Amino acid sequence: MTKSDLATMMANATSTTKASSYKTLNTILNILTSEIVAGEKISIRDFASFSTFLRKKKKGRNLRTGEIIVIPECNIIRFTPSSRLKKSIQCTCKVNKK
């Protein structure tokens, strides 16, 4: 699913134009992005939570040369699905098994 697909689905579900839904979607994504960049945890009930944490520097290996390199520390985004989302995915898997 793409951003455009999501905007179209939002427009159909709310009886609005695709342009209006696209603008709303962009606003939501911009707000979420700015909060994540600021280090805030975002919790969307019955869906998921997003948070950042600092991954410490570590040693790695260049697979082509075998040289040991240092991978610098960096902030990464952590996505944690809600228990409701996890259950709905597991239910789907059980139904689709043949």
Side-chain angles (χ1 to χ4, degrees):
M1 175 184 294
T2 64
K3 190 175 178 181
S4 180
D5 294 338
L6 186 54
T8 301
M9 292 173 75
M10 286 172 57
N12 293 337
T14 59
S15 300
T16 59
T17 65
K18 183 176 176 183
S20 174
S21 294
Y22 201 81
K23 185 176 179 181
T24 302
L25 179 59
N26 276 332
T27 302
I28 292 169
L29 293 176
N30 288 337
I31 291 169
L32 293 175
T33 300
S34 65
E35 291 300 306
I36 290 172
V37 168
E40 296 295 322
K41 182 177 180 177
I42 298 171
S43 296
I44 302 172
R45 187 179 173 126
D46 294 333
F47 179 67
S49 64
F50 302 86
S51 60
T52 59
F53 79 98
L54 183 65
R55 179 185 287 164
K56 296 180 182 178
K57 72 178 182 178
K58 60 184 179 179
K59 291 182 182 177
R61 184 177 302 271
N62 181 329
L63 297 176
R64 290 185 184 176
T65 65
E67 176 187 7
I68 294 177
I69 58 173
V70 175
I71 302 169
E73 66 181 21
C74 63
N75 284 316
I76 65 165
I77 298 172
R78 179 175 284 159
F79 171 83
T80 307
S82 69
S83 58
R84 183 176 178 181
L85 181 59
K86 287 179 188 178
K87 287 178 186 176
S88 64
I89 291 171
Q90 290 172 354
C91 290
T92 303
C93 293
K94 291 178 184 176
V95 171
N96 290 334
K97 285 186 177 180
K98 292 182 179 180

